[in-house]
Amino acid sequence: MADQRKCPDCGSLEIVDDAHYAQNQLVCADCGFILTEGLLTTTFADEEHLREVSYSRSTGQNEQQSRCKQRGIRRVQDLCKVLQLPSTFEDGAVSYFQQAIQHPSFRLVSLEKKEMLVGCCVFVTCRQHNWPLTMGTVCSLLYADKDLFASTYLHLLKELQLDVPALSLTDLVKTHLNSFKLFQDSSSVPAKYAENKEQMVARTIQIMELASETWLVTGRHPIPLVTAAAYLTWQSLHPAGRLTCPFSRFCKLAGIDLPPPAHLRLTELHDILLRMASQLAWLRVFSLDRRSVAKHIGDLLQHRRFLLQSAFSPGYASKGNSLESSTPAAGDTAETMGVVHIESSPTGEKQECKSRQRPLLPPCLMNPRKIRRIAPSSSAPVITGDEPILDSEIEQYLRSQEEVEEIRKAQALY
Amino acid sequence: MDADSDVALDILITNVVCVFRTRCHLNLRKIALEGANVIYKRDVGKVLMKLRKPRITATIWSSGKVICTGATSEEEAKLGARRLARSLQKLGFQVIFTDFKVVNVLAVCNMPFEIRLPEFTKNNRPHASYEPELHPAVCYRIKSLKATLQIFSTGSITVTGPNVKAVASAVEQIYPFVFESRKQIL
């Protein structure tokens, strides 16, 4: 205060400006008389100029939570920031973490497992909001072991009884393609290899839908399949000059890793496309192989419904049997499996070929591994479990005295 | 094929695990020395003994607890366990065959149709869990029977349960759900 004040009570001039907790007061230093008080609460007008501090940034939180919890919450927030997730995801993930850390099976474990828990909470939150995040991404960000991550994830689902919807393939395709460095705005790629992003995404999604209809997606890891589909799309959009570029070089250009199963997926996709191409009238005259079918993917995708039906329905005889990829033996195996065919309108071709069409089956059924079946021998006597045990049967499990002596000697030498 | 009609499915039991106690302390070194077909794991403190007739592998601890695995039926498991107890008796231990219990049964069953796993998971939400990034099969748990089923897209189902009856009931229970989500050619 500029001008001196006098205490009304004792008359002293010693007035001190003091704060009692949050309240500013003018107090007489001699007798303690309060001259004026500030307001305890602020008005709306005052608060407009104040910046709100969130609880997590204030120090109030530090006093109430253990260090382990605080550290975990910070890690969750950092991970969300790195992945550029919306703030609602961050809150959700933090609340999951707080719930999970209460359980002794998550609190009394090694630091490595607590890191996994952080990743799992973020992963679960993303999946629940249908945000396409794969486990591979989270593991690579945390430098984590995939098996440990998987077991922590399943344990978390069980403890918190969470329900996680399935990974949406379309979103996964979009996110994965975003990481490719092939598009026109990137500078590292020669002009003939750069591609339009929207076209590529749209066609890759179509190929993925085709793959899911033809049993290539079920039970498989999605990323290698997306990579293979992206390669085919890229080749088909501008075939000139790209058909000779192999898969590994494509991945190097795009700046992504080539996962090992991707080659197998590519082979399977080629097989499906070749079979479809055999049904398309204007492609039958060409003898297509794996490389050249990429040129015609656009047409194949346009008519895929019809082509799938006609290529894989039973009773339709194909004219060119050079494209038959399976032997009649596989067809017989399929028959004995008893695949149910509900309907299938024959397309009116004559049934001249004796060999059957390959029905639409998962690839593992088309190349069945020889399972050594132990045939239940009906001639063997029925075992009840309570039969008497003869001494002679037991003798074979015991060493004779001479053998025991021999072994003792050998052990003594050793 | 109607879901209500009687379909005879072949359930093949591949493994039966059982335990029993011998109620006496066993000297593992003596078993390792005088028994044939034994492997002594000193670091973990157990002896593995393999029988030929019912093809069984037994894990023997010095406390007298024995776990037998590898049998293909409950009766066979019991026979194998008794044979093992008899061998231990012959070695000189005062063995009493008690507390025999079948702990786990693993069976395999093949459905005659393929199954769409994403659809199946959606229809059976709380019990079924499908993570294609981790395992190619759907894991379905039946709490009342304490059974776990692994359902593959080829129609092959692996069931584990506490006994053979639970396994059979689990397959019966799952059949209508799996039938709903079977693959039909469009």
Side-chain angles (χ1 to χ4, degrees), chain A residues 270-297:
Chain A
H270 274 144
D271 282 336
I272 300 279
L273 289 170
L274 281 170
R275 287 206 74 80
M276 285 167 67
S278 70
Q279 303 308 317
L280 208 49
W282 61 89
L283 290 181
R284 269 200 220 125
V285 291
F286 299 119
S287 57
L288 288 174
D289 67 348
R290 294 222 152 104
R291 230 175 237 188
S292 43
V293 77
K295 285 189 279 195
H296 307 286
I297 286 181

PDB file of all heavy atoms in Angstrom, chain A residues 270-297:
ATOM      1  N   HIS A 270      -1.528 -64.268 -55.759  1.00  0.00           N
ATOM      2  CA  HIS A 270      -1.326 -64.511 -57.198  1.00  0.00           C
ATOM      3  C   HIS A 270      -2.164 -65.688 -57.661  1.00  0.00           C
ATOM      4  O   HIS A 270      -2.773 -65.647 -58.739  1.00  0.00           O
ATOM      5  CB  HIS A 270       0.150 -64.796 -57.483  1.00  0.00           C
ATOM      6  CG  HIS A 270       0.954 -63.557 -57.701  1.00  0.00           C
ATOM      7  ND1 HIS A 270       2.256 -63.411 -57.284  1.00  0.00           N
ATOM      8  CD2 HIS A 270       0.637 -62.386 -58.313  1.00  0.00           C
ATOM      9  CE1 HIS A 270       2.704 -62.226 -57.622  1.00  0.00           C
ATOM     10  NE2 HIS A 270       1.757 -61.579 -58.231  1.00  0.00           N
ATOM     11  N   ASP A 271      -2.190 -66.752 -56.861  1.00  0.00           N
ATOM     12  CA  ASP A 271      -2.974 -67.930 -57.254  1.00  0.00           C
ATOM     13  C   ASP A 271      -4.434 -67.586 -57.424  1.00  0.00           C
ATOM     14  O   ASP A 271      -5.071 -67.977 -58.405  1.00  0.00           O
ATOM     15  CB  ASP A 271      -2.843 -69.022 -56.187  1.00  0.00           C
ATOM     16  CG  ASP A 271      -1.524 -69.751 -56.289  1.00  0.00           C
ATOM     17  OD1 ASP A 271      -0.955 -69.737 -57.383  1.00  0.00           O
ATOM     18  OD2 ASP A 271      -1.086 -70.313 -55.279  1.00  0.00           O
ATOM     19  N   ILE A 272      -4.956 -66.864 -56.458  1.00  0.00           N
ATOM     20  CA  ILE A 272      -6.370 -66.497 -56.522  1.00  0.00           C
ATOM     21  C   ILE A 272      -6.632 -65.639 -57.761  1.00  0.00           C
ATOM     22  O   ILE A 272      -7.604 -65.873 -58.498  1.00  0.00           O
ATOM     23  CB  ILE A 272      -6.788 -65.735 -55.251  1.00  0.00           C
ATOM     24  CG1 ILE A 272      -6.573 -66.586 -54.013  1.00  0.00           C
ATOM     25  CG2 ILE A 272      -8.195 -65.232 -55.357  1.00  0.00           C
ATOM     26  CD1 ILE A 272      -7.654 -67.575 -53.765  1.00  0.00           C
ATOM     27  N   LEU A 273      -5.750 -64.685 -58.006  1.00  0.00           N
ATOM     28  CA  LEU A 273      -5.959 -63.795 -59.149  1.00  0.00           C
ATOM     29  C   LEU A 273      -5.872 -64.557 -60.452  1.00  0.00           C
ATOM     30  O   LEU A 273      -6.633 -64.310 -61.384  1.00  0.00           O
ATOM     31  CB  LEU A 273      -4.925 -62.673 -59.123  1.00  0.00           C
ATOM     32  CG  LEU A 273      -5.128 -61.655 -58.014  1.00  0.00           C
ATOM     33  CD1 LEU A 273      -3.934 -60.728 -57.926  1.00  0.00           C
ATOM     34  CD2 LEU A 273      -6.377 -60.829 -58.273  1.00  0.00           C
ATOM     35  N   LEU A 274      -4.954 -65.515 -60.518  1.00  0.00           N
ATOM     36  CA  LEU A 274      -4.822 -66.284 -61.759  1.00  0.00           C
ATOM     37  C   LEU A 274      -6.075 -67.112 -62.013  1.00  0.00           C
ATOM     38  O   LEU A 274      -6.543 -67.221 -63.155  1.00  0.00           O
ATOM     39  CB  LEU A 274      -3.590 -67.194 -61.680  1.00  0.00           C
ATOM     40  CG  LEU A 274      -2.262 -66.483 -61.933  1.00  0.00           C
ATOM     41  CD1 LEU A 274      -1.104 -67.399 -61.607  1.00  0.00           C
ATOM     42  CD2 LEU A 274      -2.172 -66.023 -63.365  1.00  0.00           C
ATOM     43  N   ARG A 275      -6.622 -67.678 -60.958  1.00  0.00           N
ATOM     44  CA  ARG A 275      -7.841 -68.457 -61.140  1.00  0.00           C
ATOM     45  C   ARG A 275      -8.988 -67.577 -61.611  1.00  0.00           C
ATOM     46  O   ARG A 275      -9.798 -67.966 -62.437  1.00  0.00           O
ATOM     47  CB  ARG A 275      -8.236 -69.109 -59.824  1.00  0.00           C
ATOM     48  CG  ARG A 275      -7.357 -70.245 -59.440  1.00  0.00           C
ATOM     49  CD  ARG A 275      -8.092 -71.210 -58.547  1.00  0.00           C
ATOM     50  NE  ARG A 275      -9.041 -71.999 -59.277  1.00  0.00           N
ATOM     51  CZ  ARG A 275      -8.722 -73.070 -59.992  1.00  0.00           C
ATOM     52  NH1 ARG A 275      -7.499 -73.480 -60.068  1.00  0.00           N
ATOM     53  NH2 ARG A 275      -9.661 -73.743 -60.621  1.00  0.00           N
ATOM     54  N   MET A 276      -9.038 -66.378 -61.045  1.00  0.00           N
ATOM     55  CA  MET A 276     -10.107 -65.474 -61.470  1.00  0.00           C
ATOM     56  C   MET A 276      -9.902 -65.056 -62.913  1.00  0.00           C
ATOM     57  O   MET A 276     -10.853 -64.943 -63.679  1.00  0.00           O
ATOM     58  CB  MET A 276     -10.131 -64.245 -60.566  1.00  0.00           C
ATOM     59  CG  MET A 276     -10.728 -64.528 -59.207  1.00  0.00           C
ATOM     60  SD  MET A 276     -10.408 -63.223 -58.046  1.00  0.00           S
ATOM     61  CE  MET A 276     -11.357 -61.918 -58.751  1.00  0.00           C
ATOM     62  N   ALA A 277      -8.633 -64.852 -63.257  1.00  0.00           N
ATOM     63  CA  ALA A 277      -8.349 -64.400 -64.625  1.00  0.00           C
ATOM     64  C   ALA A 277      -8.722 -65.460 -65.642  1.00  0.00           C
ATOM     65  O   ALA A 277      -9.076 -65.144 -66.782  1.00  0.00           O
ATOM     66  CB  ALA A 277      -6.868 -64.047 -64.753  1.00  0.00           C
ATOM     67  N   SER A 278      -8.675 -66.726 -65.224  1.00  0.00           N
ATOM     68  CA  SER A 278      -9.005 -67.781 -66.175  1.00  0.00           C
ATOM     69  C   SER A 278     -10.475 -67.749 -66.558  1.00  0.00           C
ATOM     70  O   SER A 278     -10.884 -68.368 -67.537  1.00  0.00           O
ATOM     71  CB  SER A 278      -8.661 -69.153 -65.580  1.00  0.00           C
ATOM     72  OG  SER A 278      -9.554 -69.441 -64.541  1.00  0.00           O
ATOM     73  N   GLN A 279     -11.288 -67.065 -65.785  1.00  0.00           N
ATOM     74  CA  GLN A 279     -12.706 -66.993 -66.092  1.00  0.00           C
ATOM     75  C   GLN A 279     -13.081 -65.789 -66.923  1.00  0.00           C
ATOM     76  O   GLN A 279     -14.215 -65.701 -67.394  1.00  0.00           O
ATOM     77  CB  GLN A 279     -13.528 -66.934 -64.790  1.00  0.00           C
ATOM     78  CG  GLN A 279     -13.288 -68.086 -63.859  1.00  0.00           C
ATOM     79  CD  GLN A 279     -13.454 -69.395 -64.575  1.00  0.00           C
ATOM     80  OE1 GLN A 279     -14.392 -69.554 -65.349  1.00  0.00           O
ATOM     81  NE2 GLN A 279     -12.546 -70.307 -64.367  1.00  0.00           N
ATOM     82  N   LEU A 280     -12.149 -64.851 -67.055  1.00  0.00           N
ATOM     83  CA  LEU A 280     -12.503 -63.620 -67.750  1.00  0.00           C
ATOM     84  C   LEU A 280     -12.265 -63.824 -69.238  1.00  0.00           C
ATOM     85  O   LEU A 280     -11.167 -64.182 -69.659  1.00  0.00           O
ATOM     86  CB  LEU A 280     -11.645 -62.478 -67.215  1.00  0.00           C
ATOM     87  CG  LEU A 280     -12.225 -61.083 -67.264  1.00  0.00           C
ATOM     88  CD1 LEU A 280     -13.611 -61.047 -66.694  1.00  0.00           C
ATOM     89  CD2 LEU A 280     -11.319 -60.147 -66.507  1.00  0.00           C
ATOM     90  N   ALA A 281     -13.305 -63.598 -70.024  1.00  0.00           N
ATOM     91  CA  ALA A 281     -13.258 -64.006 -71.430  1.00  0.00           C
ATOM     92  C   ALA A 281     -12.087 -63.408 -72.182  1.00  0.00           C
ATOM     93  O   ALA A 281     -11.399 -64.093 -72.924  1.00  0.00           O
ATOM     94  CB  ALA A 281     -14.572 -63.639 -72.111  1.00  0.00           C
ATOM     95  N   TRP A 282     -11.843 -62.093 -71.977  1.00  0.00           N
ATOM     96  CA  TRP A 282     -10.806 -61.505 -72.822  1.00  0.00           C
ATOM     97  C   TRP A 282      -9.407 -61.746 -72.286  1.00  0.00           C
ATOM     98  O   TRP A 282      -8.452 -61.314 -72.889  1.00  0.00           O
ATOM     99  CB  TRP A 282     -11.048 -60.006 -73.007  1.00  0.00           C
ATOM    100  CG  TRP A 282     -11.037 -59.192 -71.758  1.00  0.00           C
ATOM    101  CD1 TRP A 282      -9.966 -58.604 -71.165  1.00  0.00           C
ATOM    102  CD2 TRP A 282     -12.166 -58.846 -70.966  1.00  0.00           C
ATOM    103  NE1 TRP A 282     -10.350 -57.910 -70.040  1.00  0.00           N
ATOM    104  CE2 TRP A 282     -11.710 -58.043 -69.902  1.00  0.00           C
ATOM    105  CE3 TRP A 282     -13.532 -59.116 -71.025  1.00  0.00           C
ATOM    106  CZ2 TRP A 282     -12.550 -57.531 -68.933  1.00  0.00           C
ATOM    107  CZ3 TRP A 282     -14.365 -58.606 -70.055  1.00  0.00           C
ATOM    108  CH2 TRP A 282     -13.869 -57.820 -69.017  1.00  0.00           C
ATOM    109  N   LEU A 283      -9.301 -62.432 -71.134  1.00  0.00           N
ATOM    110  CA  LEU A 283      -7.959 -62.739 -70.644  1.00  0.00           C
ATOM    111  C   LEU A 283      -7.588 -64.177 -70.921  1.00  0.00           C
ATOM    112  O   LEU A 283      -6.459 -64.584 -70.713  1.00  0.00           O
ATOM    113  CB  LEU A 283      -7.866 -62.470 -69.143  1.00  0.00           C
ATOM    114  CG  LEU A 283      -7.915 -61.007 -68.751  1.00  0.00           C
ATOM    115  CD1 LEU A 283      -7.797 -60.876 -67.247  1.00  0.00           C
ATOM    116  CD2 LEU A 283      -6.795 -60.244 -69.411  1.00  0.00           C
ATOM    117  N   ARG A 284      -8.578 -64.942 -71.347  1.00  0.00           N
ATOM    118  CA  ARG A 284      -8.284 -66.374 -71.555  1.00  0.00           C
ATOM    119  C   ARG A 284      -7.316 -66.583 -72.690  1.00  0.00           C
ATOM    120  O   ARG A 284      -6.605 -67.577 -72.717  1.00  0.00           O
ATOM    121  CB  ARG A 284      -9.579 -67.124 -71.842  1.00  0.00           C
ATOM    122  CG  ARG A 284     -10.190 -67.633 -70.561  1.00  0.00           C
ATOM    123  CD  ARG A 284     -11.149 -68.747 -70.799  1.00  0.00           C
ATOM    124  NE  ARG A 284     -12.274 -68.548 -69.902  1.00  0.00           N
ATOM    125  CZ  ARG A 284     -13.519 -68.474 -70.295  1.00  0.00           C
ATOM    126  NH1 ARG A 284     -13.823 -68.614 -71.555  1.00  0.00           N
ATOM    127  NH2 ARG A 284     -14.465 -68.284 -69.418  1.00  0.00           N
ATOM    128  N   VAL A 285      -7.305 -65.622 -73.621  1.00  0.00           N
ATOM    129  CA  VAL A 285      -6.411 -65.830 -74.756  1.00  0.00           C
ATOM    130  C   VAL A 285      -4.951 -65.613 -74.370  1.00  0.00           C
ATOM    131  O   VAL A 285      -4.044 -66.113 -74.995  1.00  0.00           O
ATOM    132  CB  VAL A 285      -6.770 -64.893 -75.925  1.00  0.00           C
ATOM    133  CG1 VAL A 285      -8.100 -65.323 -76.510  1.00  0.00           C
ATOM    134  CG2 VAL A 285      -6.857 -63.458 -75.450  1.00  0.00           C
ATOM    135  N   PHE A 286      -4.738 -64.833 -73.320  1.00  0.00           N
ATOM    136  CA  PHE A 286      -3.358 -64.657 -72.878  1.00  0.00           C
ATOM    137  C   PHE A 286      -2.973 -65.801 -71.977  1.00  0.00           C
ATOM    138  O   PHE A 286      -3.774 -66.287 -71.208  1.00  0.00           O
ATOM    139  CB  PHE A 286      -3.200 -63.374 -72.049  1.00  0.00           C
ATOM    140  CG  PHE A 286      -3.528 -62.133 -72.789  1.00  0.00           C
ATOM    141  CD1 PHE A 286      -4.551 -61.316 -72.368  1.00  0.00           C
ATOM    142  CD2 PHE A 286      -2.815 -61.771 -73.908  1.00  0.00           C
ATOM    143  CE1 PHE A 286      -4.853 -60.163 -73.043  1.00  0.00           C
ATOM    144  CE2 PHE A 286      -3.110 -60.621 -74.582  1.00  0.00           C
ATOM    145  CZ  PHE A 286      -4.132 -59.814 -74.156  1.00  0.00           C
ATOM    146  N   SER A 287      -1.742 -66.207 -72.049  1.00  0.00           N
ATOM    147  CA  SER A 287      -1.300 -67.174 -71.045  1.00  0.00           C
ATOM    148  C   SER A 287      -0.669 -66.347 -69.933  1.00  0.00           C
ATOM    149  O   SER A 287       0.456 -65.874 -70.033  1.00  0.00           O
ATOM    150  CB  SER A 287      -0.297 -68.146 -71.641  1.00  0.00           C
ATOM    151  OG  SER A 287       0.783 -67.421 -72.176  1.00  0.00           O
ATOM    152  N   LEU A 288      -1.434 -66.161 -68.883  1.00  0.00           N
ATOM    153  CA  LEU A 288      -0.974 -65.263 -67.836  1.00  0.00           C
ATOM    154  C   LEU A 288      -0.111 -66.002 -66.835  1.00  0.00           C
ATOM    155  O   LEU A 288      -0.345 -67.158 -66.544  1.00  0.00           O
ATOM    156  CB  LEU A 288      -2.177 -64.676 -67.087  1.00  0.00           C
ATOM    157  CG  LEU A 288      -2.984 -63.658 -67.860  1.00  0.00           C
ATOM    158  CD1 LEU A 288      -4.207 -63.293 -67.061  1.00  0.00           C
ATOM    159  CD2 LEU A 288      -2.159 -62.426 -68.117  1.00  0.00           C
ATOM    160  N   ASP A 289       0.852 -65.308 -66.326  1.00  0.00           N
ATOM    161  CA  ASP A 289       1.620 -65.891 -65.233  1.00  0.00           C
ATOM    162  C   ASP A 289       1.647 -64.870 -64.103  1.00  0.00           C
ATOM    163  O   ASP A 289       1.003 -63.838 -64.173  1.00  0.00           O
ATOM    164  CB  ASP A 289       3.029 -66.265 -65.687  1.00  0.00           C
ATOM    165  CG  ASP A 289       3.852 -65.021 -66.015  1.00  0.00           C
ATOM    166  OD1 ASP A 289       3.246 -63.934 -66.101  1.00  0.00           O
ATOM    167  OD2 ASP A 289       5.053 -65.137 -66.194  1.00  0.00           O
ATOM    168  N   ARG A 290       2.418 -65.175 -63.095  1.00  0.00           N
ATOM    169  CA  ARG A 290       2.383 -64.354 -61.881  1.00  0.00           C
ATOM    170  C   ARG A 290       2.715 -62.898 -62.159  1.00  0.00           C
ATOM    171  O   ARG A 290       2.159 -62.009 -61.555  1.00  0.00           O
ATOM    172  CB  ARG A 290       3.380 -64.890 -60.875  1.00  0.00           C
ATOM    173  CG  ARG A 290       2.991 -66.240 -60.393  1.00  0.00           C
ATOM    174  CD  ARG A 290       3.191 -66.409 -58.936  1.00  0.00           C
ATOM    175  NE  ARG A 290       2.235 -67.391 -58.467  1.00  0.00           N
ATOM    176  CZ  ARG A 290       2.512 -68.619 -58.163  1.00  0.00           C
ATOM    177  NH1 ARG A 290       3.737 -69.036 -58.251  1.00  0.00           N
ATOM    178  NH2 ARG A 290       1.585 -69.450 -57.758  1.00  0.00           N
ATOM    179  N   ARG A 291       3.617 -62.691 -63.073  1.00  0.00           N
ATOM    180  CA  ARG A 291       4.025 -61.306 -63.286  1.00  0.00           C
ATOM    181  C   ARG A 291       2.976 -60.526 -64.048  1.00  0.00           C
ATOM    182  O   ARG A 291       2.671 -59.396 -63.715  1.00  0.00           O
ATOM    183  CB  ARG A 291       5.323 -61.302 -64.088  1.00  0.00           C
ATOM    184  CG  ARG A 291       6.333 -60.419 -63.430  1.00  0.00           C
ATOM    185  CD  ARG A 291       7.622 -60.479 -64.116  1.00  0.00           C
ATOM    186  NE  ARG A 291       8.613 -60.890 -63.163  1.00  0.00           N
ATOM    187  CZ  ARG A 291       9.899 -60.898 -63.426  1.00  0.00           C
ATOM    188  NH1 ARG A 291      10.319 -60.582 -64.613  1.00  0.00           N
ATOM    189  NH2 ARG A 291      10.751 -61.269 -62.521  1.00  0.00           N
ATOM    190  N   SER A 292       2.447 -61.122 -65.095  1.00  0.00           N
ATOM    191  CA  SER A 292       1.582 -60.335 -65.973  1.00  0.00           C
ATOM    192  C   SER A 292       0.178 -60.178 -65.431  1.00  0.00           C
ATOM    193  O   SER A 292      -0.561 -59.314 -65.883  1.00  0.00           O
ATOM    194  CB  SER A 292       1.542 -60.958 -67.354  1.00  0.00           C
ATOM    195  OG  SER A 292       1.414 -62.354 -67.227  1.00  0.00           O
ATOM    196  N   VAL A 293      -0.218 -60.991 -64.468  1.00  0.00           N
ATOM    197  CA  VAL A 293      -1.587 -60.843 -63.978  1.00  0.00           C
ATOM    198  C   VAL A 293      -1.762 -59.507 -63.263  1.00  0.00           C
ATOM    199  O   VAL A 293      -2.875 -58.995 -63.168  1.00  0.00           O
ATOM    200  CB  VAL A 293      -1.952 -62.034 -63.064  1.00  0.00           C
ATOM    201  CG1 VAL A 293      -1.324 -61.884 -61.694  1.00  0.00           C
ATOM    202  CG2 VAL A 293      -3.426 -62.204 -62.954  1.00  0.00           C
ATOM    203  N   ALA A 294      -0.657 -58.922 -62.817  1.00  0.00           N
ATOM    204  CA  ALA A 294      -0.762 -57.653 -62.102  1.00  0.00           C
ATOM    205  C   ALA A 294      -1.312 -56.554 -62.994  1.00  0.00           C
ATOM    206  O   ALA A 294      -1.951 -55.616 -62.517  1.00  0.00           O
ATOM    207  CB  ALA A 294       0.599 -57.249 -61.554  1.00  0.00           C
ATOM    208  N   LYS A 295      -1.082 -56.699 -64.293  1.00  0.00           N
ATOM    209  CA  LYS A 295      -1.586 -55.652 -65.201  1.00  0.00           C
ATOM    210  C   LYS A 295      -3.097 -55.595 -65.195  1.00  0.00           C
ATOM    211  O   LYS A 295      -3.701 -54.560 -65.442  1.00  0.00           O
ATOM    212  CB  LYS A 295      -1.147 -55.969 -66.640  1.00  0.00           C
ATOM    213  CG  LYS A 295       0.313 -55.687 -66.906  1.00  0.00           C
ATOM    214  CD  LYS A 295       0.616 -55.799 -68.371  1.00  0.00           C
ATOM    215  CE  LYS A 295       0.795 -57.254 -68.719  1.00  0.00           C
ATOM    216  NZ  LYS A 295       1.430 -57.460 -70.022  1.00  0.00           N
ATOM    217  N   HIS A 296      -3.729 -56.759 -64.953  1.00  0.00           N
ATOM    218  CA  HIS A 296      -5.181 -56.832 -65.148  1.00  0.00           C
ATOM    219  C   HIS A 296      -5.940 -56.804 -63.839  1.00  0.00           C
ATOM    220  O   HIS A 296      -7.130 -57.112 -63.816  1.00  0.00           O
ATOM    221  CB  HIS A 296      -5.514 -58.123 -65.896  1.00  0.00           C
ATOM    222  CG  HIS A 296      -4.741 -58.271 -67.163  1.00  0.00           C
ATOM    223  ND1 HIS A 296      -5.035 -57.532 -68.299  1.00  0.00           N
ATOM    224  CD2 HIS A 296      -3.668 -59.025 -67.461  1.00  0.00           C
ATOM    225  CE1 HIS A 296      -4.164 -57.859 -69.241  1.00  0.00           C
ATOM    226  NE2 HIS A 296      -3.333 -58.749 -68.768  1.00  0.00           N
ATOM    227  N   ILE A 297      -5.275 -56.443 -62.766  1.00  0.00           N
ATOM    228  CA  ILE A 297      -5.941 -56.481 -61.461  1.00  0.00           C
ATOM    229  C   ILE A 297      -7.152 -55.572 -61.440  1.00  0.00           C
ATOM    230  O   ILE A 297      -8.170 -55.890 -60.815  1.00  0.00           O
ATOM    231  CB  ILE A 297      -4.934 -56.113 -60.350  1.00  0.00           C
ATOM    232  CG1 ILE A 297      -3.981 -57.274 -60.123  1.00  0.00           C
ATOM    233  CG2 ILE A 297      -5.634 -55.790 -59.055  1.00  0.00           C
ATOM    234  CD1 ILE A 297      -2.986 -57.030 -59.038  1.00  0.00           C
TER     235      ILE A 297
END
